[in-house]
Amino acid sequence: MPGHTHRFGPRGLGRGAALTLVFASVLATAAATGSLPRKDGEGTEIEARAVSSTVAPVDREEVAHAAADAEADGKSGTDAAEEVVSRSGDRWGAVYDEREYEEFERALDGTYTGVGLSARRTAHGDVAVTRVQPGGPADRAGVRPGDLLRSVDGRTVAKRPVAEVVALLRGDREEAAVGTEVALGLRRGAHTWSATLRRARLSTEPVTVRRLGPDPAAAVLIKVAAFTKGTGGKVREAVDAAPVDAGILLDLRENSGGLVAEAVTASSAFLDGGLVATYDVHGEERALYAEPGGDTERPVVVLVDGGTMSAAELLTGALQDRGRAVTVGSRTFGKGSVQMPSKLPGGSVAELTVGQYRTPAGRSVEGSGITPDVGAGPEAQKRAETVLSGLGGGS
């Protein structure tokens, strides 16, 4: 994002030159980290999330005044601001304290406090574990992908929104820290059991790369788990290092989003400049552009699914609209509203909806997601490899 300084966390507060688009996960990343990561800023940073398009904007001044009045009366400004936002109907509008923002800043650096699992709601209404971080508390406790989460600290997760389940995993503001315990009720087939885990400081590897065969021209699989700091550069490095004749299979399945600046950098690996997305803030349209010099020749296939969210959807939409990649998989999550955080009296931060982003062709992702060019279910990667081979990208 030329012309803008990218700053995060408390250090960026009150600096009008800072502007960062953040497409942070509410579901998958939050479940993985055991936290609800958010950004802060004095009206200078932006976050995009899926919200109802019928939600009326929340008056930022009303939220700030509520917090200030509560602080003056010796009450919690955070609680007062939360009450105003909850009444507004802004589904993803929220208020977070300073500690939560500190945790988010660590998450953007690829570290977080949590139990090391991701979860999502299944078609049958269960909450299923989709990913377990090797060596993390959940892994050591024997939790495996496919296990069903039945309860958190004795409270059932049935019929709860996944975001609420995430909040239970995280604990309240005092409890969500390294070493604190969380009790999980789990099921695997007919077997049910309980496990008590201790939250830990964990780190992630957002980009992994491997060849899809022994042939020198075999395709290269680049798996991007989330767009944390440095992810875009790692994608570009992986593309540059791939053999000249090798196609790229870009796996964005279960990618819950992250920093849009990193997604734009990743798009620059495949584009020679040009439009990546547009977005609006209070009706004023702005644009995001790829850097020139990307590889525009080698075949590219992008793998997506219902867990592909936000920044990952932005990247997918850009490559699809500009005819740079064939997309394979199932429809993406559909998460594309823009939020602008504001610092409140007492140090908390309110995030309020201000607009939406659109793909280069002008499509709105929010609510509808992105429909892939080639539909595929459990066999998506195999089909994607076939498509890539047909494009001349190796196998």
Side-chain angles (χ1 to χ4, degrees):
M1 294 174 60
H4 295 295
T5 302
H6 304 279
R7 293 297 297 270
F8 298 89
R11 292 170 296 179
L13 294 175
R15 304 202 179 187
L19 176 63
T20 301
L21 282 171
V22 181
F23 291 63
S25 163
V26 175
L27 307 182
T29 292
T33 63
S35 66
L36 286 174
R38 298 292 184 267
K39 286 303 300 136
D40 53 355
E42 189 64 34
T44 60
E45 296 177 348
I46 296 173
E47 182 169 358
R49 300 212 185 89
V51 300
S52 169
S53 59
T54 61
V55 171
V58 184
D59 188 336
R60 294 169 60 193
E61 293 300 320
E62 179 184 359
V63 177
H65 287 319
D69 290 344
E71 292 286 334
D73 291 338
K75 301 177 181 177
S76 169
T78 301
D79 291 344
E82 283 178 343
E83 184 176 351
V84 173
V85 174
S86 67
R87 291 199 311 263
S88 71
D90 187 339
R91 179 183 173 192
W92 293 108
V95 180
Y96 300 97
D97 64 22
E98 290 178 294
R99 188 197 55 75
E100 290 169 326
Y101 275 85
E102 291 173 358
E103 182 65 27
F104 181 49
E105 188 172 47
R106 295 189 187 100
L108 291 177
D109 287 326
T111 64
Y112 60 90
T113 299
V115 297
L117 66 81
S118 300
R120 62 182 300 190
R121 183 75 62 182
T122 70
H124 300 291
D126 297 315
V127 176
V129 176
T130 57
R131 190 163 56 228
V132 178
Q133 180 161 335
D139 183 34
R140 294 195 301 271
V143 180
R144 298 291 178 263
D147 290 345
L148 300 182
L149 185 62
R150 302 171 61 240
S151 65
V152 179
D153 284 335
R155 286 172 281 191
T156 179
V157 302
K159 299 182 179 180
R160 293 181 187 267
V162 175
E164 188 174 334
V165 176
V166 168
L168 292 177
L169 280 170
R170 176 190 174 278
D172 63 26
R173 288 170 181 153
E174 288 73 32
E175 294 175 348
V178 172
T180 56
E181 293 185 346
V182 56
L184 307 184
L186 298 148
R187 185 175 81 223
R188 183 183 301 160
H191 174 58
T192 61
W193 80 102
S194 297
T196 299
L197 284 60
R198 288 187 179 273
R199 298 179 180 95
R201 178 69 63 197
L202 302 171
S203 61
T204 61
E205 180 51 62
V207 180
T208 55
V209 183
R210 67 181 176 90
R211 300 290 294 277
L212 292 175
D215 189 278
V220 175
L221 173 66
I222 302 175
K223 169 68 177 177
V224 185
F227 288 99
T228 53
K229 291 180 182 177
T231 297
K234 291 180 179 179
V235 171
R236 294 202 66 166
E237 290 172 3
V239 173
D240 291 343
V244 175
D245 296 330
I248 299 295
L249 183 56
L250 183 63
D251 190 351
L252 300 180
R253 291 175 297 177
E254 295 296 333
N255 183 312
S256 53
L259 301 173
V260 78
E262 298 295 341
V264 172
T265 298
S267 75
S268 300
F270 308 101
L271 301 171
D272 186 15
L275 186 65
V276 174
T278 60
Y279 64 100
D280 55 83
V281 177
H282 298 304
E284 178 185 348
E285 185 171 280
R286 306 176 189 182
L288 299 166
Y289 296 95
E291 297 175 4
D295 187 330
T296 60
E297 299 299 324
R298 71 172 76 238
V300 179
V301 170
V302 180
L303 264 172
V304 296
D305 65 4
T308 305
M309 306 180 189
S310 302
E313 291 177 288
L314 179 146
L315 174 57
T316 302
L319 298 182
Q320 185 183 56
D321 279 5
R322 295 188 56 183
R324 184 61 190 92
V326 176
T327 53
V328 177
S330 52
R331 186 169 64 90
T332 63
F333 184 80
K335 187 165 179 290
S337 68
V338 178
Q339 291 184 311
M340 180 175 288
S342 302
K343 187 171 182 183
L344 302 175
S348 57
V349 178
E351 289 188 338
L352 308 174
T353 303
V354 297
Q356 295 185 11
Y357 79 86
R358 291 165 295 280
T359 69
R363 294 182 293 164
S364 174
V365 173
E366 180 172 338
S368 58
I370 293 174
T371 301
D373 302 309
V374 179
E379 77 289 359
Q381 181 168 328
K382 182 178 179 180
R383 180 166 295 187
E385 292 179 22
T386 300
V387 171
L388 188 59
S389 178
L391 295 172
S395 60

